[in-house]
């Protein structure tokens, strides 16, 4: 069987709103069912029809972003460049209308630099310096993990911060900056909803809440599609003029669901994991939205992936 190729351009498709998103903003029951079928293709649990050719390879989905806001179509990533047969099978298996899906090759990248054991050791002394305020975006190293970015303050007390080591079970590991031990991992989570570590600072150190001309005034905000955001990255610097593409990205292989996706994702490189995502909607609005887990390549474009702050 030969099928027609799906046409359209990513982020420029315009469909009639309402196919998959209900009037109150959530997915319709039909779209929820379609997403569950996509998850079966993602996790290899799909039950395929016996009528398929023996040499047909069931496509493995590796990214799902459900319809949201003014985007009424699914973004669907697959491991290999999708053939006509692949596209038609996904549409047939899931029941998603052709105009309600954009399917393309994708992959996900972690962004952590290798660990240098010379940088930090458990016995290293803490140099006394009082009331030092570290800036978001400072490069840090977690003992036994690697080098990544100091993210946002965890709370208004400013005595702890968040980063993303892509590991759990790190409680008690030392954290350094500029070859000084500045803190200790209090908690690290790597599960279906979060990829974060909470670092408690030592010796009256703090994290500055200042962001791009303002001060953070909300540490538990929820992201919405089209939010204007700032990404504060250790290796790539502060990135402006970004927006939230979606708040429900799913990626297998790394246990991630309900992740924030931002676009465009410029100048990203190793060491940027842990970067803070800050909403900036007005001169006075500076709200924490999440922590950078990595980046997703989808149809020639990079999308930044962040754990929502409401998940941790």
């Amino acid at each position: 069987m030969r099928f027609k190729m799906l046409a359209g351009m990513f982020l420029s498709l315009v469909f009639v709103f309402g196919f998959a998103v209900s009037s109150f903003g959530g997915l319709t029951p039909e779209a929820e069912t379609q997403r569950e079928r996509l998850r079966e293709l993602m996790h290899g649990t799909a039950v395929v029809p016996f009528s398929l050719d023996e040499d047909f390879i069931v496509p493995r989905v590796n990214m799902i972003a459900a319809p949201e806001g003014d985007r009424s179509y699914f973004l669907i990533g697959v491991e290999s460049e999708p053939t006509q047969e692949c596209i038609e099978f996904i549409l047939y298996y899931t029941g998603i209308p052709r105009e309600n899906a954009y399917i393309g090759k994708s992959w996900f990248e972690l962004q952590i630099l290798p660990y240098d054991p010379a940088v930090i050791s458990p016995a290293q002394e803490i140099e006394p310096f009082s009331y030092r305020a570290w800036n978001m975006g400072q490069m840090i190293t977690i003992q036994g993990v690697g080098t990544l970015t100091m993210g946002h303050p965890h709370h208004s007390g400013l005595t702890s911060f968040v980063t993303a080591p892509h590991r759990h079970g790190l409680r008690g590991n030392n954290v350094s900056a500029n070859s000084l031990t500045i803190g200790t991992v209090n908690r690290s989570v790597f599960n279906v909803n979060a990829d974060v570590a909470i670092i408690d600072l030592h010796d009256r150190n703090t994290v500055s809440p200042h962001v791009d001309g303002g001060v953070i005034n909300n540490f538990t905000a929820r992201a919405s599609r089209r939010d204007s955001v700032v990404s504060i990255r250790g290796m790539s610097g502060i990135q402006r003029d970004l927006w939230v593409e979606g708040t429900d990205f799913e990626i297998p292989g790394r246990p991630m669901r309900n992740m924030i996706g931002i676009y465009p994702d410029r100048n990203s490189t190793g060491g940027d994991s842990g970067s803070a995502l800050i909403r900036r909607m007005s001169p006075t609005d500076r709200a924490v939205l999440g922590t950078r887990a990595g980046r997703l390549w989808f149809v020639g474009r990079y999308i930044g992936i962040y754990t929502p702050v409401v998940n941790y």
Side-chain angles (χ1 to χ4, degrees), residues 32-48 58-62 64 89 93-94 250 257:
E32 286 283 8
T33 299
Q34 293 164 354
R35 181 164 60 177
E36 286 303 314
R37 301 305 294 273
L38 285 172
R39 287 171 176 164
E40 292 172 8
L41 292 173
M42 174 178 280
H43 299 296
T45 59
V47 179
V48 300
V58 176
R60 178 63 66 90
V61 169
N62 63 7
I64 303 169
F89 177 84
Y93 186 81
T94 62
E250 299 183 35
R257 182 181 289 188

Side-chain angles (χ1 to χ4, degrees), residues 64-126:
I64 303 169
E68 181 177 354
D70 60 347
R71 174 169 53 76
S72 58
Y73 52 93
F74 283 91
L75 302 178
I76 304 167
V78 291
E79 292 180 342
S80 303
E81 200 66 43
T83 62
Q84 294 179 358
E85 288 86 350
C86 167
I87 292 168
E88 292 293 339
F89 177 84
I90 291 173
L91 297 178
Y92 163 75
Y93 186 81
T94 62
I96 299 173
R98 183 179 302 275
E99 66 272 17
N100 245 35
Y102 189 74
I103 303 171
K105 183 178 179 180
S106 71
W107 67 77
F108 180 73
E109 300 176 354
L110 298 176
Q111 296 181 292
I112 191 167
L113 295 176
Y115 171 63
D116 182 356
V119 172
I120 183 172
S121 66
Q124 188 176 20
E125 291 295 326
I126 301 170

Side-chain angles (χ1 to χ4, degrees), residues 185 270 283:
V185 178

